[in-house]
Amino acid sequence: MAPMSILPYIHRNVYELVAYQPGKPIEETARELGMRPQDIVKLASNENALGPSPQAVKAMQDAAAQVHLYPDGASFDLRSKLAGRFGVSFEQTVVGSGSSELIELLCHTCLHPGIELVAARYSFTMYPLMCKLFNATFVEVENKADWSHDLQGILRAITPQTRLVFITNPTNPVGTMVGQAEIDAFMERVPEHVIVVFDEAYIDFAEEQPDTLRYVRAGKNVVVMRTFSKAYGLAGVRAGFAITTPEIADLLNKARSPFNVNSIAQAGALAALDDQEHIERSVQMVRAGLKQYYAAFDAWGIPYIPAHGNFLLVKVGQGKRVFQECLNRGVILRPMDGYGLTDYIRITIGTEAENTRCLTVLAEVLGKPIA
């Protein structure tokens, strides 16, 4: 007799969730194709192709000798450095296991049945997932014709039940950005019962960066989130941070688990903040890589969305087929079916050699001349 399923007794919103799908790992692809991992080019997960700062690596190696001890539960050194870097008080900082944990902490704090979260249709998929998990309502606002966030549309979507508004800037997966004037006009009209979250994971790559911290300093109900996973190249250790009001920071620190950022991550993030040369090299690599792709796609007549992050959304037609054929040739890209963008792929900007390999494979798959 088969054992009875436990599912009828489990929280319905959990077992009905569709789990987040990360980019395909290099090792898995290498096993499937019978290739060496070093021969695979992964341009699927918006990672930093230059890797982490050497200073961060050294700091994490040193920290590894003390992993028998619990980490500093308050992340005092890291939060103190962040406070100094951004000109806020220690009490206005929160750190998390990646900015994804900070999103979850905000949802833990604010969401319950009958409460709404508002975000753009083309923004981070974790927002609707969290709404489902906490049995709250996700209110989706269409992006504008240029694919950027429609901040006026978001304003119209806010109701007395709205508690969180997420503005992903630059936005993933499309790479667009809203500027200072739009943000200022938006913030003038946001009701006081709403927490506005600026999810700025990719802000380091943007040439013109709006000042959203001004609203935190003015005492507005604003959270500015950033991560060490992208420009800093520390995706594997999971570290992110938020700058907000002391009141909101206190709530998030109450909601987080003890020791939520491990000692190796704290050490790496602390050292990475001091290596601005590495950040500059990473940013310049991305900007050069974008020009490399723009030139090829312009020559091929393939549409793309000019990007402000370290990735590019490209309309290739039959995105899943193109993804699979590139995968078969050892280049991992990201299909966009999960967003309903079935004709698109997303390409992370890599080194010049990785970009050249990607373009060579795409030329073969799409029947285009090699760039």
Side-chain angles (χ1 to χ4, degrees), residues 33 77 83 178 180 244 255 342 368:
L33 298 178
D77 290 341
V178 289
Q180 191 73 59
T244 185
T342 55
K368 301 293 184 181

Side-chain angles (χ1 to χ4, degrees), residues 154-176:
I154 288 175
L155 276 173
R156 291 190 295 271
I158 292 173
T159 74
Q161 286 71 49
T162 305
R163 291 295 175 272
L164 291 171
V165 167
F166 277 87
I167 299 172
T168 320
N169 207 36
T171 190
N172 176 26
V174 294
T176 56

Side-chain angles (χ1 to χ4, degrees), residues 241-309:
F241 64 94
I243 308 293
T244 185
T245 66
E247 182 180 41
I248 295 173
D250 181 60
L251 292 170
L252 298 182
N253 279 313
K254 287 178 178 178
R256 69 177 174 84
S257 300
F259 313 114
N260 63 323
V261 180
N262 68 69
S263 53
I264 292 178
Q266 289 185 40
L270 196 61
L273 283 169
D274 286 332
D275 195 350
Q276 289 302 303
E277 181 183 349
H278 181 73
I279 294 294
E280 184 59 28
R281 287 178 57 232
S282 300
V283 170
Q284 292 307 317
M285 176 196 72
V286 167
R287 292 178 182 171
L290 284 170
K291 291 178 181 177
Q292 189 178 356
Y293 281 107
Y294 292 166
F297 294 138
D298 286 342
W300 293 347
I302 290 180
Y304 58 86
I305 300 172
H308 296 273

Side-chain angles (χ1 to χ4, degrees), residues 128-150:
L129 188 150
M130 285 293 105
C131 281
K132 178 74 171 176
L133 185 62
F134 292 104
N135 202 20
T137 302
F138 179 65
V139 179
E140 179 180 275
V141 177
E142 287 291 337
N143 295 62
K144 294 196 292 189
D146 66 357
W147 297 80
S148 66
H149 280 34
D150 181 0

Side-chain angles (χ1 to χ4, degrees), residues 109-132:
T109 302
C110 299
L111 298 186
H112 54 81
I115 295 301
E116 299 168 351
L117 181 158
V118 179
R121 178 180 181 186
Y122 297 118
S123 56
F124 192 23
T125 54
M126 193 171 176
Y127 310 148
L129 188 150
M130 285 293 105
C131 281
K132 178 74 171 176

